[in-house]
């Protein structure tokens, strides 16, 4: 007699055999089909999570209760991108009576809405349909490039598991909504791949586009500069001909210029030197002081003593992660990128619930997670944790539920 709630032994055998046969067939697919299959399954799971949570969504600033899928994913910053798509950017920065900038579209980079506008001209499809399609398609391109990048450091199996972890990461539902994250991930993965392959001139247009999609230009420029210094320091063991030095130096220079492109464009369009920086401060409610927001948030969460120690412990943990064995296997470019981006977040970010989404560019660590152990049980357990995290993230942060003081935590 079988236990309560357990399928008969014969059914278990059939299911196990069917799963093994499916795995064997899938293993014979070309790498790109396996990668796309993994990503498609992850996005279907996220779709089901969105649909389930939308059924419990009450009225929100964007519409009535129980919205459909396309309406539900079109909220939060999606609405800002749609506004840019329809109206463009304001010629002046809106300011309050105290002179402080108000929230406005200049906080959001132009490449994603511009591509949707181009797609509209070609297909006639409107934002509501075209923007999620473009974001999802960019996600497919991103994971293909992520796999190609991971294969520079590991075999097929751990690289594919790295793609699994990127695809199922708790904030990965953002890759199928009208945000610029999937587009930026594709461009970032392409830029890092070209860096690893030392195709520095080919990386130039990719880096420029990346810097017009999301604000990752500063840490990327820092990474390229550090890589240049690293190559100079190791030139006796790893010779760097003059032509290669010139190409890498050119990429470093272009990266620095591109990192400043959006603030300069905002200045040129509005005549306001501080147009972009003041707009960013509108979401903070105060002036930027490097590193201070982390200690302020630490004090708020853990008290005066714990608030000082918590950011330092977090920074120490990040440093230990970067010198760990699995991360060292990623090579200098990816390690320098993770270090540069992590330092950028620590210096400039105002920590809040959106911080989880900001961790997505640290995607190379997904390969390190796959390299921690070859145990299938470990990898499957981590995958299940990520899938459960998606449910938590969508339910807690994407769904709107007004706080007692007004507003809600942003995703």
């Amino acid at each position: 007699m079988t236990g309560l709630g357990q399928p008969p032994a014969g059914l278990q055998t059939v299911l196990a055999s069917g799963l093994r046969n499916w795995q064997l067939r899938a293993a014979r697919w070309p790498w790109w089909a396996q990668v796309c299959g993994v990503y498609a399954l992850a996005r279907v799971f996220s779709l089901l999570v969105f649909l389930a949570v939308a059924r419990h969504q009450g009225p929100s600033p964007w519409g009535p209760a129980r919205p459909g899928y396309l309406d539900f994913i079109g909220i939060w910053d999606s609405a800002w991108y749609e506004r840019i798509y329809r109206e463009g950017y304001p010629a002046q920065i809106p300011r309050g009576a105290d002179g402080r900038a108000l929230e406005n579209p200049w906080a959001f980079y132009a490449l994603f809405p511009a591509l949707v506008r181009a797609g509209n001209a070609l297909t006639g499809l409107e934002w509501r349909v075209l923007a999620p399609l473009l974001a999802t398609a960019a996600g497919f391109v991103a994971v293909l490039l992520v796999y190609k990048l991971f294969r520079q450091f590991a075999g097929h199996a751990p690289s594919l598991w790295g793609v699994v972890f990127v695809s199922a990461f708790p904030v990965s539902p953002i890759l199928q909504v009208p945000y610029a994250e999937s587009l930026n991930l594709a461009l970032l993965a392409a830029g890092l791949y070209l860096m690893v392959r030392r195709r520095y001139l080919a990386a130039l247009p990719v880096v420029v586009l990346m810097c017009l999609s999301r604000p990752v230009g500063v840490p990327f420029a820092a990474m390229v500069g550090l890589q240049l210094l690293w190559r100079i320091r190791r030139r006796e063991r790893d010779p760097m001909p003059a032509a290669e030095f010139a190409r890498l130096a050119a990429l470093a220079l272009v990266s620095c210029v591109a990192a400043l492109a959006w603030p300069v464009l905002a200045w040129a369009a509005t005549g306001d030197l501080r147009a972009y920086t003041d707009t960013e401060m509108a979401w903070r409610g105060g002036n930027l002081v490097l590193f201070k927001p982390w200690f302020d948030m630490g004090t708020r969460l853990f008290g005066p003593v714990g608030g000082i120690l918590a950011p330092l412990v977090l920074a120490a943990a990040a440093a230990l992660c970067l010198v760990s064995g699995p991360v060292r296997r990623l090579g200098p470019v990816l390690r320098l990128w993770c270090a540069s981006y992590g330092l950028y977040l620590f210096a400039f970010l105002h920590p809040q619930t959106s911080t989880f989404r900001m961790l997505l560019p640290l995607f190379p660590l997904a390969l390190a997670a796959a390299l921690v152990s070859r145990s299938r049980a470990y990898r499957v357990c981590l995958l299940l944790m990520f899938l459960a995290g998606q449910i938590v993230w969508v339910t807690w942060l994407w769904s709107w539920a007004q706080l007692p003081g007004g507003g809600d935590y942003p995703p």
Side-chain angles (χ1 to χ4, degrees):
M1 180 179 294
T2 60
L4 182 63
Q6 293 184 353
L11 179 58
Q12 289 179 325
T13 302
V14 170
L15 291 175
S17 176
L19 179 60
R20 283 194 298 270
N21 290 336
W22 182 87
Q23 289 175 324
L24 290 173
R25 287 197 299 271
R28 292 194 291 267
W29 295 353
W31 69 267
W32 55 267
Q34 295 182 49
V35 170
C36 288
V38 162
Y39 188 73
L41 289 173
R43 298 287 63 80
V44 169
F45 179 84
S46 300
L47 167 67
L48 296 175
V49 174
F50 275 126
L51 290 173
V53 176
R55 290 178 60 86
H56 301 279
Q57 172 68 67
S60 75
W62 300 277
R66 302 185 68 177
Y69 173 71
L70 293 178
D71 292 324
F72 191 48
I73 65 172
I75 64 176
W76 295 106
D77 290 354
S78 301
W80 281 106
Y81 281 115
E82 182 178 5
R83 180 176 172 182
I84 295 166
Y85 162 83
R86 299 189 184 282
E87 304 173 7
Y89 292 89
Q92 292 183 328
I93 301 298
R95 296 183 180 274
D98 59 357
R100 289 184 178 272
L102 304 176
E103 295 178 359
N104 70 86
W106 280 108
F108 303 93
Y109 287 39
L111 184 58
F112 179 72
L115 289 177
V116 179
R117 190 178 295 114
N120 168 259
L122 291 172
T123 66
L125 294 175
E126 269 299 330
W127 170 272
R128 185 170 179 269
V129 174
L130 188 56
L133 284 177
L134 177 62
T136 304
F140 276 98
V141 174
V143 291
L144 290 170
L145 291 167
V146 166
Y147 174 85
K148 291 290 288 183
L149 176 62
F150 287 176
R151 285 291 278 124
Q152 307 304 305
F153 307 98
H156 170 72
S159 296
L160 187 61
W161 271 104
V163 170
V164 169
F165 294 153
V166 172
S167 303
F169 193 63
V171 301
S172 64
I174 205 70
L175 299 175
Q176 66 196 72
V177 307
Y179 273 48
E181 264 73 3
S182 57
L183 177 62
N184 181 254
L185 181 63
L187 293 167
L188 176 59
L192 291 174
Y193 174 77
L194 294 170
M195 276 287 296
V196 169
R197 300 286 294 178
R198 300 184 179 179
R199 296 171 58 185
Y200 303 125
L201 294 183
L204 294 177
V206 174
V207 171
V208 172
L209 291 174
M210 179 188 70
C211 291
L212 294 175
S213 63
R214 278 194 53 76
V216 296
V218 170
F220 195 91
M223 179 273 293
V224 177
L226 291 172
Q227 175 67 6
L228 178 60
L229 296 176
W230 172 267
R231 291 296 310 284
I232 293 173
R233 182 173 178 269
R234 293 175 56 87
R235 63 187 180 277
E236 293 184 0
R237 287 184 250 176
D238 185 7
M240 183 168 58
E244 184 181 350
F245 171 83
R247 291 192 292 269
L248 183 53
L251 178 58
L253 177 61
V254 170
S255 298
C256 290
V257 173
L260 299 175
W262 188 246
V264 171
L265 286 172
W267 173 22
T270 62
D272 188 340
L273 176 62
R274 297 174 57 88
Y276 175 70
T277 53
D278 283 359
T279 296
E280 285 290 343
M281 292 307 103
W283 267 266
R284 297 171 182 254
N287 296 323
L288 172 64
V289 180
L290 297 182
F291 303 106
K292 185 175 180 291
W294 288 90
F295 293 95
D296 290 342
M297 182 60 70
T299 300
R300 177 180 171 185
L301 295 176
F302 305 111
V305 177
I308 300 297
L309 294 177
L312 299 178
V313 170
L314 181 62
L320 288 174
C321 174
L322 289 173
V323 299
S324 66
V327 177
R328 289 176 67 88
R329 292 176 60 180
L330 301 183
V333 170
L334 298 190
R335 290 177 66 206
L336 286 173
W337 163 249
C338 291
S340 298
Y341 187 72
L343 182 59
Y344 169 78
L345 292 182
F346 193 37
F348 292 99
L349 183 67
H350 177 69
Q352 52 169 316
T353 48
S354 294
T355 303
F356 301 115
R357 176 167 55 90
M358 305 298 178
L359 298 178
L360 194 60
L362 293 172
F363 74 91
L365 297 179
L367 177 59
L371 293 173
V372 167
S373 173
R374 298 176 62 182
S375 165
R376 181 179 294 272
Y378 155 75
R379 291 170 173 173
V380 170
C381 285
L382 187 57
L383 170 61
L384 293 176
M385 289 173 58
F386 282 177
L387 294 176
Q390 285 192 41
I391 298 172
V392 173
W393 187 81
V394 174
T395 304
W396 175 36
L397 294 179
W398 190 266
S399 178
W400 169 271
Q402 185 167 314
L403 299 171
D408 191 14
Y409 295 121

